[in-house]
Amino acid sequence: MEIVPRLLLVNSSDEDRAHLRQQLESLSLEISEVSSGLEAVEALQRERFNLIVTEIGIGEFDCWRLTRFVRSGIC
């Protein structure tokens, strides 16, 4: 059984997220999308991901704070 890597795509722009998803689909990843840092934290608490792709400005919970949460093991 082949394990498919899971990617969390975090971007506040619907248009940018759709474009990024289109570019990433050829990589055979299971892609989940969220539009803010807070949604990303919620997704990371519910599920495990192998990769996270984000932009810097993702709301009041920015990518730097999200990175600290992931690195600390909180998410």
Side-chain angles (χ1 to χ4, degrees):
M1 184 170 128
E2 183 179 334
I3 298 175
V4 178
R6 301 193 68 226
L7 179 136
L8 179 60
L9 179 58
V10 188
N11 194 300
S12 58
S13 165
D14 293 339
E15 191 174 303
D16 290 348
R17 234 179 17 259
H19 178 73
L20 288 166
R21 182 183 192 94
Q22 182 182 18
Q23 297 298 312
L24 294 167
E25 282 180 340
S26 66
L27 299 177
S28 300
L29 301 168
E30 182 180 327
I31 301 172
S32 297
E33 299 178 31
V34 295
S35 62
S36 73
L38 290 175
E39 289 180 14
V41 169
E42 291 171 1
L44 288 164
Q45 289 175 338
R46 285 190 316 266
E47 305 172 52
R48 295 185 61 90
F49 294 92
N50 304 96
L51 307 161
I52 301 171
V53 174
T54 184
E55 67 173 333
I56 293 173
I58 53 174
E60 65 278 356
F61 202 95
D62 66 14
C63 73
W64 305 113
R65 196 169 176 194
L66 179 62
T67 300
R68 286 192 298 274
F69 264 55
V70 171
R71 291 186 69 194
S72 70
I74 293 172
C75 293

